[in-house]
Amino acid sequence: MRIQRVLLSLVVIGLLSLVREIEAKPARILLDTDVDTDDFFALLYLLKLNRSEIDLKAITISTNAWADAGHAVNQVYDMLYMMDRDDILVGVGGEGGISSDGTIFRNVGGYLPIIEQVITNSYIMLNKCHECNIDTSGFCGLKTLVLIGQGMSTFGDCRYRQAVPIGLGGRLDIDTNYGLRRSFLPQGKRKYTPLRQPTTQQVMIETISKGPTTLFVIGSHTNIAIFLMSNPDLKKNIEHIYVMGGGVRSKNPTGCCPKNDTSCTPKQCGDHGNMFTGYTSNPYAEFNIFGDPFAAYQVRTSVSDACNLNSVVIMAICQLILKNSYSIYLQVIHSGIPVTLVPLDATNTIPITEQFFEAFEDNQNTYEAQYIFRSLKMARDTWFDGQFYTSYFMWDSFTSGVAASIMRNSKADGENEFAEMEYMNITVVTSNEPYGVSDGSNPFFSGRTIPKFNLQKDGVHSGHVQEGIRDPFCFAKNNKTGQCQDGYTKEVTGPDAVRVLVATKAKPNQHSNSLLDREYFISFLDVLNLPQNAGRFNFTTEFPYYKEVLYKPDFGMQKLGKSVVFDMDMSAGDFISLIYLLKVPVEVINLKGILVSGTGWANAATIDIVYDILHMMGRDDIPVGRGEVIALGQPNPSFTAVGDCKYIKAIPHGGGGLLDSDTLYGFARDLPRSPRGHTAENSVKYGAPRDTDHPELRQPLALEVWQSISKSLAPGSKVTILTSGPLTNLAQIIQSEKNLSSVVENVYVVGGHISYSEKDLGNLFSVSSNKFAEFNMFLDPIAAKIVLESELNVTLIPLNVQRQVSSFPEILKRLQLKRKTPEAVFTYRLLSRLYRLQQKHHRYHHMDTFLGEILGSVILASDQHLNPTLQVLPVKVSATGDISKDGQTIIDEVHGKSVKVIESIDTRKYFAELASLLGEKKQTAVIASYNQQKKLWSTPANHA
C-alpha cells in the first residue's frame, strides 16, 4: 500500500507540474472567417488581446459566403500589416475536390458547400493528357477541355450562396468594405499570388500539427468540416471549437409590426433565423450555418462531452491518464471535440444601439478603432431600410469576446463575463422530411446505388435539400411561412442530438447607470483603444509626405478623335485592351468612358483596378460606371439584390477564374493606387435612407455614365461602343433609350462563335453539354439576344478570328523587342505569368482566351492596317433557358439579323501594331507603380 501511495503521489506531482506548464502557455487560435464586416471586428479585437493568453496563429478564409476570395485575402493581409502581425499565416482556396464516392482529395478549396463538391473522370482525363505531355490542341485536349467543367472543383452552383446579396448591401460592399478598405488600410508586401498562396487546408494542417489549437469559426463551416473529415489523426490537437452561427430558441426581433397596427405585415419577426433574403422559404436558417448545413452537421457530430473538456487543466489530466493507462482511477474516455455555440439567441440580445454608436464615435484612439468605427458608420448610413439600430447586431465580435472570456476562466460550465450559457441537445438540419424520397434535389443520394460518404439511405440527410431561396418545395400551399429547415440549429432528443454549450443571452452592464447596456460593449471599446498591440499606421500616415494627386490631361487645342465607350468585364485581356486604348493617340480615339460589367470574369469590386490603371496612365478624367452584377433574367423578382447563378457558375471561383481575375493574377497591388475607387457613399437623392459624409463620392452606375456621355456629345456627333464581356450593360442601355442609333455609330462586340462543323468548338469548357457557345454570349444570353436583334450597327469579332492572334510566344517576343515603357513592361509581366501558368498547371489551360479579347481594341484603333475580311451574316443568339444551347451564335437565314462578322486579319501586322503602340513614349504612364508612389510619399522634395 505504501508503494502505491508513493506512486500515486508521484503521478499527482507530475500532473500538477504538467498543468502549470500548460496553463503558462497561451491558447493557440486559428480563425476561420468569411471576412464580412463584423468578422474583422472580431479579428481586430482578438489581435488586441494579451498574447500571453490568446495567441492568434492563423487565419483561413471561408470562400462561399459574404466575401470573394481574392478581395478577402488581400484585405486580411492589409489588416495584419497594419497591426504588425505579418507572422500570422493566411490560407485561402485550394484546387482539390471530393470524388463521387466521397473521397476527399488534397486542398479542397471550400468555394462550394460539401454537397456540391464533385470530381468526375474528366478531371482524371485532363491530368493524363498533361502527364503524357499531350498537346491540348489535339484530340485529347479538345475532348478533355469540353468535359473538364464537371471536374474542376471550383466550379459549381449557388444553392446556398444565392441567399447572399451580390451588389450593394452584399459582396460588393464587403469586398471593398464600402470603399474604406483602400482608403484606410496600408498595403504590405504580402499578397495573393497564383500557385504560391497557401491554401486553407495547408494552413490548417500546418497550424494544428504544431500543437493544441482552438478554432474560432465565424463563417460557413466548409473548411473546418473538410479538415475534420480528412485529417482524423489531427483531431486530437483541436482543444475546442467556438462557433458563431445558428439559432436554437431565437426569435428574430427585426421586421416586427408596431402594436395595434393591423395594416402592417410582419417579415422576419419571431423567426428562428436571420436570412432576410429568403425567410419566406426558410425562416429557420442563420447565414453561417445555411452556407453549408452538411458541413455544420459534421462539426457538431465531432463532439463528445464525456470528459467535458472545457478546461485546459482537465484536458491535461485526461490526456495524461489516457496516455499512461490510468483510466482505472477516473474512467474517462475522450473521443471528440467540445463545441461552444454563440447563436442568434445571444447575438439578438446585443444590437448596436444609438448610445453605443455615439460612445464609439467619441472613443477612437487607435487605428483599429478608427477603421472599425468608420466601417460601422458606413454600414449604418447605407443600411437598406433605415432600421440599422434594430437590425445590426454584434455577431462575430461578440463571439470572440465570449470565447476569450471562457478560455480565461477555464470553467466547465462556460462561465464568462459577457454571456449567459446553457447546455442544449441540438443538431443541424441538412434535409427536409420525408426522408428517403429521392426527388433529384439531393446529390448525396440521387442517382446513386450507394449514397455519398456512405450515408444512411433513410437517414436525416436523405430528404429534400433546398435548391435555392425560391425552391417551390419550400413554399407550403396553405402556410404563409416557408417550410424548409435547411441550416436550422434545432433542439432535439434522441440519437442525433449532440450536447453543446450555447450562449443564450448577452449579460447586462454591471454598472446600471451606464448608457451602454451590455457588459461586452465596455470590453469592446476598452480593448480596441488599448495602446498595447495597436496598429502602427493607416494608408496615409505610413508615409511622411503622402499627397493625394489626380492626373487629368490638358489636350488644349488638339482635335480629338472618335468618341469611344469601352464596356468590359475586367478579365486579364480586358485590362490589356484598356491600356492599349489609352495608348492610342487621342487624335484617333477619345475614350470618353468605361462601363464595367459584374456578370463576367471578375467580381464587381475589381472596378478598383480600372481606376488604378487610369491613374497610372494619367487619365483620372475618364468616368467609370458600374454595371449590373446579375445577368438578365437571373435576379429574384421579389428581392432583386440576389439571384440565380445559372450562367456565371461556368466561371471557376479559384485558379484561372474569379480569384485570379479579382487580383489580376497577383499584379493588381503592383499598380499605383488611385485616389478614386468604388465607394458606397450614399445619397438621399438616389433613394438612400440617409446621406453619408460624402454622398457626392458615390460610385456612378453604368447607365448614369452613359447618359452623361450621350448628353455631352456635340450635335450630330456619335459614339462608338466596344464591348469585351457579357452584353448586360449594353442591353440595359438599349432597353432604356429610345432612338439609340442616333447617338451610337458602331458597336464592336468581342464575342460569339460561328461554328462551321462539329469539330469547330466554342470555348465554354465548363459546361460539357454546350460545345459551341462562347463565354461572353453564354454569360448573359438574354442580353446578347437583345443587342444582336437591335437596330444598332453591330460588328462581331468572334472566337474564330480571336484564335488567330492567341499566341503567347509571338506577343511576348514582340514586346521584348520594343521600348520598355511602364505599360509595356506591365503587359509583358502579366502575359508572361499567364503563359507560365498555362504551361505549368491544367487549371490554367484556357489562358489564351484572354489574348483573343485584346483584338477588339486593336481593330477599333487600326482596322484598316490589319486588312480585315468581313462577311455580313444573318445571326441570332440562343437564349431559351437551355444551358446546353444558350449563348450559341447561330446563322439563321429566316430569323437572324444581318451583322458584320470579321473572319480574318493580317496577324503579322496585328502583333506588330500591338507591341509597337505599347512601346511608344507618347501617352505613356505618368506614374509606373505603387513602389514609385511610396518613394514619392517618402521624399520631402516631392511634397510640393
Side-chain angles (χ1 to χ4, degrees), residues 293-598:
F294 184 75
Y297 184 96
Q298 291 298 317
V299 173
R300 298 296 179 277
T301 55
S302 71
V303 178
S304 170
D305 68 336
C307 199
N308 249 342
L309 299 177
N310 292 307
S311 165
V312 291
V313 176
I314 299 176
M315 175 71 119
I317 294 173
C318 285
Q319 286 183 335
L320 187 64
I321 288 173
L322 290 171
K323 181 178 179 180
N324 294 285
S325 301
Y326 286 120
S327 57
I328 190 172
Y329 293 103
L330 298 180
Q331 296 293 331
V332 175
I333 298 175
H334 173 56
S335 61
I337 307 167
V339 170
T340 295
L341 184 68
V342 182
L344 297 176
D345 306 50
T347 60
N348 283 346
T349 66
I350 186 165
I352 299 292
T353 63
E354 196 165 358
Q355 292 79 10
F356 171 76
F357 187 90
E358 291 172 354
F360 197 174
E361 189 170 22
D362 295 334
N363 197 7
Q364 304 174 58
N365 301 322
T366 61
Y367 291 113
E368 53 273 23
Q370 293 168 22
Y371 189 55
I372 289 178
F373 177 76
R374 293 183 190 185
S375 305
L376 193 63
K377 185 176 187 304
M378 284 294 285
R380 186 200 70 166
D381 292 349
T382 60
W383 201 247
F384 64 97
D385 62 358
Q387 303 299 313
F388 175 81
Y389 292 120
T390 58
S391 304
Y392 199 99
F393 305 93
M394 296 199 87
W395 296 284
D396 298 325
S397 61
F398 183 59
T399 301
S400 66
V402 170
S405 180
I406 290 174
M407 294 169 74
R408 283 193 295 262
N409 289 333
S410 300
K411 293 184 179 179
D413 61 358
E415 176 61 29
N416 67 92
E417 296 102 310
F418 307 127
E420 297 177 5
M421 310 297 294
E422 179 181 340
Y423 276 101
M424 298 182 188
N425 294 317
I426 65 172
T427 189
V428 174
V429 176
T430 63
S431 73
N432 300 276
E433 297 185 77
Y435 298 135
V437 178
S438 179
D439 60 3
S441 69
N442 193 334
F444 289 149
F445 296 87
S446 298
R448 298 177 184 271
T449 304
I450 300 174
K452 197 170 182 178
F453 302 118
N454 291 313
L455 297 174
Q456 185 179 338
K457 285 190 175 182
D458 297 321
V460 295
H461 306 299
S462 66
H464 178 91
V465 178
Q466 187 169 352
E467 295 187 276
I469 57 178
R470 299 178 63 200
D471 185 344
F473 177 91
C474 302
F475 295 93
K477 291 182 179 179
N478 300 317
N479 192 346
K480 294 181 181 179
T481 304
Q483 66 178 5
C484 279
Q485 297 187 7
D486 305 64
Y488 177 24
T489 311
K490 190 175 185 179
E491 197 169 8
V492 296
T493 57
D496 291 319
V498 178
R499 191 165 180 252
V500 170
L501 186 61
V502 179
T504 59
K505 185 179 179 180
K507 288 184 177 180
N509 189 344
Q510 294 180 2
H511 302 285
S512 57
N513 60 342
S514 173
L515 293 175
L516 303 181
D517 62 353
R518 295 290 181 264
E519 189 67 24
Y520 181 66
F521 283 154
I522 307 299
S523 172
F524 186 74
L525 295 182
D526 286 349
V527 168
L528 286 179
N529 285 287
L530 286 172
Q532 293 83 9
N533 300 331
R536 300 173 293 171
F537 36 65
N538 65 22
F539 176 59
T540 61
T541 62
E542 179 181 7
F543 305 103
Y545 304 103
Y546 172 82
K547 184 178 181 181
E548 186 176 289
V549 177
L550 287 172
Y551 300 112
K552 297 184 178 182
D554 180 7
F555 295 123
M557 301 301 294
Q558 286 177 270
K559 184 179 180 180
L560 301 180
K562 176 167 40 180
S563 295
V564 171
V565 170
F566 183 34
D567 184 4
M568 59 188 291
D569 73 347
M570 301 180 291
S571 71
D574 284 6
F575 282 117
I576 296 173
S577 290
L578 174 58
I579 292 173
Y580 187 88
L581 288 174
L582 295 169
K583 288 291 293 182
V584 177
V586 293
E587 299 89 348
V588 178
I589 284 183
N590 176 21
L591 187 58
K592 294 186 70 69
I594 299 167
L595 311 182
V596 169
S597 170

Side-chain angles (χ1 to χ4, degrees), residues 30 32 60 200-208 223-224 227:
L30 184 149
D32 190 62
T60 52
T200 293
Q201 294 301 316
Q202 286 171 341
V203 168
M204 285 185 174
I205 292 169
E206 180 177 347
T207 303
I208 295 170
N223 292 335
I224 300 298
F227 173 82

Side-chain angles (χ1 to χ4, degrees), residues 885-896:
K885 297 179 180 178
D886 281 348
Q888 293 183 9
T889 309
I890 304 163
I891 299 176
D892 189 330
E893 298 287 350
V894 178
H895 301 104

Side-chain angles (χ1 to χ4, degrees), residues 149-166:
Q150 296 174 351
M152 292 185 72
S153 63
T154 69
F155 287 87
D157 215 333
C158 53
R159 178 188 296 258
Y160 303 121
R161 200 187 194 194
Q162 67 178 261
V164 177
I166 301 174

